Amino acid sequence: MLRSLSMATVHLVVSALVRRDGRLLLVLQRGPGDPRPTWMLPGGVVEGGETVLDALGRELGEETGLELTASPQLAFAVHVIDDVDAYLALTFACSASGELAPSDPDGHVRDAAWVEPSDALERLGQVGWYDAGPLRRYLAGASGELAIVDRR
């Protein structure tokens, strides 16, 4: 049974699952306090006053240089709970156009690349806090999953 979240701050996070020619889009990023760069799906925190889809388009553009096309579809969601905060991470299957040209104003994204799905899952599996299970299941045909990860 999950404990109460009454004291936690819930952060809304979006990420883009973009495929091109059978490959997935990943970004190489290193945030403050990260011991080393890691490969992740492009995305980030929804800012105050932003809609989820506005944040998705902004993050994708900043981190990769690509522009959303068509309507993104919710692929899966992960609710992560830790001792201090909680995160609701929504991952959207997206179509995007343009050429890769990261220009992250925060300076965290170092590169962007199209990666074979097996390689993407391996790279994401190296990130200690990221649960690649929902992505793996989505790529195998599942959709609309809500995974809950309690790290307390």
Side-chain angles (χ1 to χ4, degrees):
M1 171 125 191
L2 295 176
R3 292 181 281 182
S4 170
L5 294 177
S6 62
M7 299 301 291
T9 299
V10 179
H11 304 277
L12 184 57
V13 177
V14 293
S15 60
L17 176 56
V18 184
R19 297 188 220 194
R20 186 178 283 175
D21 299 325
R23 295 177 293 165
L24 301 178
L25 178 61
L26 293 182
V27 295
L28 182 63
Q29 62 185 23
R30 185 174 189 176
D34 288 347
R36 61 182 171 76
T38 56
W39 288 95
M40 293 298 304
L41 295 172
V45 175
V46 177
E47 296 176 356
E50 259 185 331
T51 69
V52 168
L53 294 182
D54 286 344
L56 184 67
R58 176 183 52 76
E59 290 287 352
L60 182 65
E62 290 175 355
E63 295 187 1
T64 70
L66 300 180
E67 184 177 331
L68 282 177
T69 59
S71 294
Q73 301 296 313
L74 182 64
F76 58 88
V78 179
H79 189 187
V80 179
I81 305 159
D82 65 26
D83 288 329
V84 178
D85 293 318
Y87 300 85
L88 179 58
L90 307 174
T91 298
F92 291 87
C94 305
S95 296
S97 64
E99 298 300 319
L100 295 180
S103 59
D104 180 17
D106 299 322
H108 300 158
V109 173
R110 315 265 170 114
D111 197 7
W114 297 102
V115 180
E116 292 296 327
S118 59
D119 189 26
L121 288 167
E122 182 179 322
R123 291 180 191 195
L124 291 166
Q126 295 175 12
V127 180
W129 56 265
Y130 185 79
D131 179 4
L135 175 59
R136 180 175 284 107
R137 290 186 289 276
Y138 178 80
L139 294 174
S143 65
E145 174 181 351
L146 171 60
I148 298 175
V149 179
D150 191 341
R151 294 204 168 120
R152 295 175 288 184

